[in-house]
């Protein structure tokens, strides 16, 4: 009896819009094991290139093809269809291609990914080095109707956390510009010198000094006076939350700990820098 856990399949949920290569390439480049093709349920006209794509997938012996339908111009119908497709493949690695369908489809697909933990993917179009592939005419010349869309709350980082992300980013840039040379000051801590030469980031000591200089609320309203107390405050209010959310990596080098931004941390800083 084989007690090994089942191997997760790579599943791509692909709403079919007026695209071809932006839908096809991710399927084969990311080696999808199964494709859930979501077609427009009210389409009365044949779309040859979409029919060609579906036929190619159906003929591929390695890829399992599943077909579903919904109104790709209705937020809730699309959201429900995509979310159901994700839930039906619980335990697999599910990706949702937001490149096709309508703008409504992309919004619904992103909400579904945020609600379920699936991975949204996007295939950026290539307009050519001289932008020769940019359409010479608008893609649409008529509007059926205009309507509002619902909004959903997303927890944004606090201004304090963004300020620390920015500080860490600035320290990484400064150290990167300095190169990998270690400190030469004879009074410098040997471990810090070695760490600075091998690790780009902000030390917890630097973060404590930053917190003290900027008088963040968690420092200003605290009665902690010792260095140990300040370090505990920093861990509780900054380091632990940022690390738990995957925004920073913490590495111990010598006697010191250094924080560096993860990709998620950099993207969060890019999106919320204005809060700091």
């Amino acid at each position: 009896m084989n007690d090994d856990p089942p191997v997760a399949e790579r599943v791509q949920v692909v709403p079919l819009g007026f695209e071809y290569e932006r839908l096809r390439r991710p399927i084969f480049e990311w080696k999808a094991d199964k494709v859930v093709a979501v077609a427009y349920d009210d389409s009365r006209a044949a779309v040859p290139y979409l029919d060609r794509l579906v036929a190619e997938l159906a003929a591929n012996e390695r890829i399992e093809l599943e077909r579903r339908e919904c109104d790709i111009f209705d937020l809730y119908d699309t959201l429900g269809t995509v979310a159901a497709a994700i839930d039906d493949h619980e335990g697999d690695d599910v990706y949702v291609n937001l490149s096709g369908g309508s703008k409504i489809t992309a919004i619904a697909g992103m909400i579904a990914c945020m609600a379920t933990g699936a991975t949204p993917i996007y295939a950026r179009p290539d307009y050519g080095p001289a932008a020769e592939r940019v359409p010479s005419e608008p893609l649409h010349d008529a509007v059926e109707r205009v309507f509002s869309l619902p909004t959903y709350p997303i927890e944004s980082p606090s201004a304090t956390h963004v300020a620390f992300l920015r500080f860490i980013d600035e320290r990484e840039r400064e150290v990167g510009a300095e190169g990998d040379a270690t400190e030469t000051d004879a009074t410098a801590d040997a471990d810090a010198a070695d760490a600075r030469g091998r690790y780009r980031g902000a030390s917890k000591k630097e973060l404590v000094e930053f917190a003290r200089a900027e008088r963040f609320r968690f420092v200003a309203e605290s009665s902690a006076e010792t260095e140990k107390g300040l370090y505990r405050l920093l861990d509780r209010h900054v380091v632990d939350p940022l690390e738990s959310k995957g925004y920073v990596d913490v590495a111990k080098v010598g006697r010191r700990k250094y924080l560096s931004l993860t990709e998620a941390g950099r993207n969060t800083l890019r999106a919320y820098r204005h809060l700091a």
Side-chain angles (χ1 to χ4, degrees):
M1 180 176 178
N2 189 353
D3 294 329
D4 293 337
V7 178
E9 289 192 312
R10 294 181 295 268
V11 179
Q12 283 194 29
V13 180
V14 185
L16 302 177
F18 301 122
E19 297 283 353
Y20 176 74
E21 194 60 30
R22 296 174 71 196
L23 306 181
R24 180 184 183 279
R25 179 170 170 177
I27 293 171
F28 291 96
E29 186 172 305
W30 288 25
K31 297 180 173 58
D33 299 305
K34 181 174 183 178
V35 173
V36 181
V38 181
Y40 183 28
D41 63 0
D42 195 31
S43 178
R44 297 181 178 84
V47 184
Y49 52 85
L50 290 180
D51 293 340
R52 187 167 73 250
L53 173 61
V54 172
E56 179 183 6
L57 295 175
N60 190 300
E61 296 181 356
R62 189 188 65 79
I63 298 176
E64 180 184 352
L65 175 65
E66 178 185 336
R67 308 183 196 201
R68 302 192 184 196
E69 293 185 345
C70 73
D71 182 354
I72 63 174
F73 297 100
D74 182 275
L75 180 76
Y76 293 103
D77 193 15
T78 303
L79 176 55
T81 302
V82 173
I86 297 171
D87 288 340
D88 289 345
H89 296 90
E90 183 180 2
D92 292 323
D93 296 327
V94 183
Y95 304 85
V96 180
N97 192 331
L98 306 182
S99 309
S102 65
K103 298 294 190 300
I104 297 293
T105 313
I107 295 170
M110 179 61 79
I111 295 174
C113 288
M114 294 169 64
T116 61
T119 302
I121 62 176
Y122 182 81
R124 178 178 174 176
D126 181 2
Y127 292 110
E132 65 272 13
R133 297 192 186 95
V134 173
S136 58
E137 298 292 336
L139 296 178
H140 305 285
D141 58 6
V143 175
E144 179 184 356
R145 64 190 179 97
V146 179
F147 53 93
S148 62
L149 292 171
T151 58
Y152 292 86
I154 298 177
E155 182 182 2
S156 60
S158 68
T160 296
H161 287 169
V162 175
F164 277 91
L165 291 176
R166 186 175 66 179
F167 178 80
I168 296 169
D169 179 62
E170 291 172 351
R171 290 300 298 130
E172 288 183 317
R173 294 175 185 273
E174 289 172 7
V175 175
E178 294 169 1
D180 292 332
T182 59
E183 294 182 57
T184 58
D185 188 343
T187 62
D189 185 297
D191 285 336
D194 181 58
R196 181 61 70 198
R198 294 189 290 111
Y199 191 79
R200 295 179 179 179
S203 69
K204 289 179 68 173
K205 179 180 180 181
E206 291 171 325
L207 295 178
V208 166
E209 292 172 349
F210 174 61
R212 182 185 282 150
E214 296 296 326
R215 293 191 57 78
F216 288 101
R217 177 175 295 180
F218 71 88
V219 173
E221 296 181 354
S222 171
S223 59
E225 296 180 356
T226 65
E227 288 293 312
K228 182 179 291 187
L230 289 173
Y231 275 86
R232 287 176 177 171
L233 285 174
L234 180 75
D235 285 339
R236 186 186 315 140
H237 293 276
V238 178
V239 177
D240 292 345
L242 293 182
E243 187 177 18
S244 67
K245 293 177 180 178
Y247 294 162
V248 299
D249 285 327
V250 181
K252 186 174 183 180
V253 185
R255 295 198 300 269
R256 296 193 178 184
K257 290 185 178 180
Y258 283 78
L259 277 68
S260 61
L261 298 187
T262 63
E263 182 178 358
R266 295 187 189 284
N267 290 335
T268 299
L269 179 59
R270 291 175 61 193
Y272 295 100
R273 183 179 288 270
H274 62 282
L275 294 180

